[in-house]
PDB file of all heavy atoms in Angstrom:
ATOM      1  N   LEU A  39     -14.249  10.131  10.411  1.00  0.00           N
ATOM      2  CA  LEU A  39     -14.900   9.717  11.658  1.00  0.00           C
ATOM      3  C   LEU A  39     -14.430   8.341  12.086  1.00  0.00           C
ATOM      4  O   LEU A  39     -14.281   8.062  13.286  1.00  0.00           O
ATOM      5  CB  LEU A  39     -16.419   9.740  11.478  1.00  0.00           C
ATOM      6  CG  LEU A  39     -17.250   9.341  12.705  1.00  0.00           C
ATOM      7  CD1 LEU A  39     -16.967  10.255  13.880  1.00  0.00           C
ATOM      8  CD2 LEU A  39     -18.741   9.358  12.356  1.00  0.00           C
ATOM      9  N   SER A  40     -14.170   7.451  11.115  1.00  0.00           N
ATOM     10  CA  SER A  40     -13.665   6.121  11.467  1.00  0.00           C
ATOM     11  C   SER A  40     -12.299   6.222  12.129  1.00  0.00           C
ATOM     12  O   SER A  40     -12.008   5.506  13.090  1.00  0.00           O
ATOM     13  CB  SER A  40     -13.585   5.240  10.216  1.00  0.00           C
ATOM     14  OG  SER A  40     -12.566   5.690   9.327  1.00  0.00           O
ATOM     15  N   TRP A  41     -11.447   7.121  11.636  1.00  0.00           N
ATOM     16  CA  TRP A  41     -10.142   7.331  12.275  1.00  0.00           C
ATOM     17  C   TRP A  41     -10.307   7.919  13.674  1.00  0.00           C
ATOM     18  O   TRP A  41      -9.540   7.583  14.595  1.00  0.00           O
ATOM     19  CB  TRP A  41      -9.283   8.254  11.410  1.00  0.00           C
ATOM     20  CG  TRP A  41      -8.767   7.596  10.177  1.00  0.00           C
ATOM     21  CD1 TRP A  41      -9.261   7.710   8.907  1.00  0.00           C
ATOM     22  CD2 TRP A  41      -7.661   6.690  10.083  1.00  0.00           C
ATOM     23  NE1 TRP A  41      -8.534   6.941   8.031  1.00  0.00           N
ATOM     24  CE2 TRP A  41      -7.540   6.310   8.727  1.00  0.00           C
ATOM     25  CE3 TRP A  41      -6.761   6.166  11.005  1.00  0.00           C
ATOM     26  CZ2 TRP A  41      -6.562   5.433   8.276  1.00  0.00           C
ATOM     27  CZ3 TRP A  41      -5.775   5.300  10.565  1.00  0.00           C
ATOM     28  CH2 TRP A  41      -5.683   4.937   9.217  1.00  0.00           C
ATOM     29  N   ALA A  42     -11.288   8.802  13.842  1.00  0.00           N
ATOM     30  CA  ALA A  42     -11.534   9.373  15.167  1.00  0.00           C
ATOM     31  C   ALA A  42     -11.968   8.297  16.152  1.00  0.00           C
ATOM     32  O   ALA A  42     -11.607   8.346  17.343  1.00  0.00           O
ATOM     33  CB  ALA A  42     -12.598  10.464  15.056  1.00  0.00           C
ATOM     34  N   MET A  43     -12.718   7.298  15.667  1.00  0.00           N
ATOM     35  CA  MET A  43     -13.115   6.194  16.545  1.00  0.00           C
ATOM     36  C   MET A  43     -11.908   5.377  16.980  1.00  0.00           C
ATOM     37  O   MET A  43     -11.803   4.961  18.148  1.00  0.00           O
ATOM     38  CB  MET A  43     -14.129   5.299  15.824  1.00  0.00           C
ATOM     39  CG  MET A  43     -15.498   5.910  15.661  1.00  0.00           C
ATOM     40  SD  MET A  43     -16.658   4.763  14.858  1.00  0.00           S
ATOM     41  CE  MET A  43     -18.165   5.716  14.961  1.00  0.00           C
ATOM     42  N   PHE A  44     -10.983   5.123  16.054  1.00  0.00           N
ATOM     43  CA  PHE A  44      -9.760   4.415  16.416  1.00  0.00           C
ATOM     44  C   PHE A  44      -8.989   5.193  17.478  1.00  0.00           C
ATOM     45  O   PHE A  44      -8.481   4.623  18.446  1.00  0.00           O
ATOM     46  CB  PHE A  44      -8.871   4.209  15.189  1.00  0.00           C
ATOM     47  CG  PHE A  44      -9.368   3.177  14.232  1.00  0.00           C
ATOM     48  CD1 PHE A  44      -9.534   3.482  12.892  1.00  0.00           C
ATOM     49  CD2 PHE A  44      -9.674   1.891  14.647  1.00  0.00           C
ATOM     50  CE1 PHE A  44      -9.994   2.542  11.993  1.00  0.00           C
ATOM     51  CE2 PHE A  44     -10.139   0.939  13.758  1.00  0.00           C
ATOM     52  CZ  PHE A  44     -10.302   1.267  12.428  1.00  0.00           C
ATOM     53  N   ALA A  45      -8.870   6.505  17.288  1.00  0.00           N
ATOM     54  CA  ALA A  45      -8.136   7.332  18.244  1.00  0.00           C
ATOM     55  C   ALA A  45      -8.837   7.359  19.597  1.00  0.00           C
ATOM     56  O   ALA A  45      -8.181   7.292  20.649  1.00  0.00           O
ATOM     57  CB  ALA A  45      -7.987   8.750  17.696  1.00  0.00           C
ATOM     58  N   ALA A  46     -10.182   7.445  19.588  1.00  0.00           N
ATOM     59  CA  ALA A  46     -10.925   7.482  20.852  1.00  0.00           C
ATOM     60  C   ALA A  46     -10.787   6.172  21.608  1.00  0.00           C
ATOM     61  O   ALA A  46     -10.768   6.157  22.853  1.00  0.00           O
ATOM     62  CB  ALA A  46     -12.398   7.782  20.569  1.00  0.00           C
ATOM     63  N   ALA A  47     -10.670   5.053  20.888  1.00  0.00           N
ATOM     64  CA  ALA A  47     -10.547   3.748  21.538  1.00  0.00           C
ATOM     65  C   ALA A  47      -9.272   3.639  22.357  1.00  0.00           C
ATOM     66  O   ALA A  47      -9.218   2.864  23.324  1.00  0.00           O
ATOM     67  CB  ALA A  47     -10.592   2.632  20.496  1.00  0.00           C
ATOM     68  N   GLU A  48      -8.254   4.396  21.979  1.00  0.00           N
ATOM     69  CA  GLU A  48      -6.983   4.347  22.708  1.00  0.00           C
ATOM     70  C   GLU A  48      -7.014   5.138  24.007  1.00  0.00           C
ATOM     71  O   GLU A  48      -6.085   5.048  24.803  1.00  0.00           O
ATOM     72  CB  GLU A  48      -5.847   4.880  21.818  1.00  0.00           C
ATOM     73  CG  GLU A  48      -5.690   4.136  20.501  1.00  0.00           C
ATOM     74  CD  GLU A  48      -5.344   2.674  20.696  1.00  0.00           C
ATOM     75  OE1 GLU A  48      -4.626   2.361  21.676  1.00  0.00           O
ATOM     76  OE2 GLU A  48      -5.796   1.844  19.880  1.00  0.00           O
ATOM     77  N   HIS A  49      -8.082   5.922  24.213  1.00  0.00           N
ATOM     78  CA  HIS A  49      -8.123   6.799  25.387  1.00  0.00           C
ATOM     79  C   HIS A  49      -9.278   6.472  26.321  1.00  0.00           C
ATOM     80  O   HIS A  49      -9.646   7.300  27.162  1.00  0.00           O
ATOM     81  CB  HIS A  49      -8.234   8.261  24.932  1.00  0.00           C
ATOM     82  CG  HIS A  49      -7.045   8.743  24.174  1.00  0.00           C
ATOM     83  ND1 HIS A  49      -6.916   8.606  22.803  1.00  0.00           N
ATOM     84  CD2 HIS A  49      -5.907   9.359  24.594  1.00  0.00           C
ATOM     85  CE1 HIS A  49      -5.767   9.122  22.411  1.00  0.00           C
ATOM     86  NE2 HIS A  49      -5.131   9.579  23.470  1.00  0.00           N
ATOM     87  N   VAL A  50      -9.880   5.294  26.170  1.00  0.00           N
ATOM     88  CA  VAL A  50     -10.952   4.886  27.089  1.00  0.00           C
ATOM     89  C   VAL A  50     -10.419   3.796  28.016  1.00  0.00           C
ATOM     90  O   VAL A  50      -9.539   3.012  27.645  1.00  0.00           O
ATOM     91  CB  VAL A  50     -12.183   4.376  26.319  1.00  0.00           C
ATOM     92  CG1 VAL A  50     -12.773   5.499  25.473  1.00  0.00           C
ATOM     93  CG2 VAL A  50     -11.853   3.196  25.447  1.00  0.00           C
ATOM     94  N   ASP A  51     -10.949   3.781  29.213  1.00  0.00           N
ATOM     95  CA  ASP A  51     -10.482   2.811  30.208  1.00  0.00           C
ATOM     96  C   ASP A  51     -11.168   1.457  30.072  1.00  0.00           C
ATOM     97  O   ASP A  51     -10.624   0.431  30.468  1.00  0.00           O
ATOM     98  CB  ASP A  51     -10.733   3.368  31.616  1.00  0.00           C
ATOM     99  CG  ASP A  51      -9.930   4.639  31.874  1.00  0.00           C
ATOM    100  OD1 ASP A  51      -8.828   4.766  31.300  1.00  0.00           O
ATOM    101  OD2 ASP A  51     -10.424   5.510  32.615  1.00  0.00           O
ATOM    102  N   SER A  52     -12.354   1.426  29.533  1.00  0.00           N
ATOM    103  CA  SER A  52     -13.109   0.181  29.406  1.00  0.00           C
ATOM    104  C   SER A  52     -12.633  -0.616  28.192  1.00  0.00           C
ATOM    105  O   SER A  52     -12.627  -0.102  27.066  1.00  0.00           O
ATOM    106  CB  SER A  52     -14.604   0.484  29.277  1.00  0.00           C
ATOM    107  OG  SER A  52     -15.321  -0.689  28.953  1.00  0.00           O
ATOM    108  N   GLY A  53     -12.230  -1.861  28.408  1.00  0.00           N
ATOM    109  CA  GLY A  53     -11.802  -2.714  27.303  1.00  0.00           C
ATOM    110  C   GLY A  53     -12.937  -3.043  26.361  1.00  0.00           C
ATOM    111  O   GLY A  53     -12.738  -3.142  25.146  1.00  0.00           O
ATOM    112  N   VAL A  54     -14.144  -3.222  26.910  1.00  0.00           N
ATOM    113  CA  VAL A  54     -15.307  -3.537  26.079  1.00  0.00           C
ATOM    114  C   VAL A  54     -15.636  -2.368  25.162  1.00  0.00           C
ATOM    115  O   VAL A  54     -15.880  -2.540  23.961  1.00  0.00           O
ATOM    116  CB  VAL A  54     -16.525  -3.886  26.959  1.00  0.00           C
ATOM    117  CG1 VAL A  54     -17.766  -4.093  26.098  1.00  0.00           C
ATOM    118  CG2 VAL A  54     -16.232  -5.132  27.791  1.00  0.00           C
ATOM    119  N   LEU A  55     -15.619  -1.152  25.741  1.00  0.00           N
ATOM    120  CA  LEU A  55     -15.912   0.034  24.937  1.00  0.00           C
ATOM    121  C   LEU A  55     -14.839   0.254  23.875  1.00  0.00           C
ATOM    122  O   LEU A  55     -15.145   0.634  22.729  1.00  0.00           O
ATOM    123  CB  LEU A  55     -16.019   1.256  25.844  1.00  0.00           C
ATOM    124  CG  LEU A  55     -16.365   2.586  25.152  1.00  0.00           C
ATOM    125  CD1 LEU A  55     -17.677   2.468  24.388  1.00  0.00           C
ATOM    126  CD2 LEU A  55     -16.432   3.715  26.178  1.00  0.00           C
ATOM    127  N   ALA A  56     -13.586  -0.005  24.238  1.00  0.00           N
ATOM    128  CA  ALA A  56     -12.495   0.148  23.269  1.00  0.00           C
ATOM    129  C   ALA A  56     -12.655  -0.831  22.102  1.00  0.00           C
ATOM    130  O   ALA A  56     -12.473  -0.466  20.935  1.00  0.00           O
ATOM    131  CB  ALA A  56     -11.145  -0.062  23.960  1.00  0.00           C
ATOM    132  N   ALA A  57     -13.004  -2.088  22.433  1.00  0.00           N
ATOM    133  CA  ALA A  57     -13.218  -3.078  21.370  1.00  0.00           C
ATOM    134  C   ALA A  57     -14.394  -2.694  20.485  1.00  0.00           C
ATOM    135  O   ALA A  57     -14.341  -2.855  19.260  1.00  0.00           O
ATOM    136  CB  ALA A  57     -13.460  -4.455  21.998  1.00  0.00           C
ATOM    137  N   LEU A  58     -15.461  -2.149  21.102  1.00  0.00           N
ATOM    138  CA  LEU A  58     -16.635  -1.732  20.334  1.00  0.00           C
ATOM    139  C   LEU A  58     -16.278  -0.578  19.389  1.00  0.00           C
ATOM    140  O   LEU A  58     -16.684  -0.572  18.215  1.00  0.00           O
ATOM    141  CB  LEU A  58     -17.756  -1.314  21.285  1.00  0.00           C
ATOM    142  CG  LEU A  58     -19.070  -0.840  20.628  1.00  0.00           C
ATOM    143  CD1 LEU A  58     -19.678  -1.945  19.778  1.00  0.00           C
ATOM    144  CD2 LEU A  58     -20.054  -0.382  21.700  1.00  0.00           C
TER     145      LEU A  58
END
Side-chain angles (χ1 to χ4, degrees):
L39 181 59
S40 69
W41 287 100
M43 288 182 175
F44 287 127
E48 303 298 326
H49 295 88
V50 297
D51 297 329
S52 171
V54 175
L55 182 57
L58 180 61

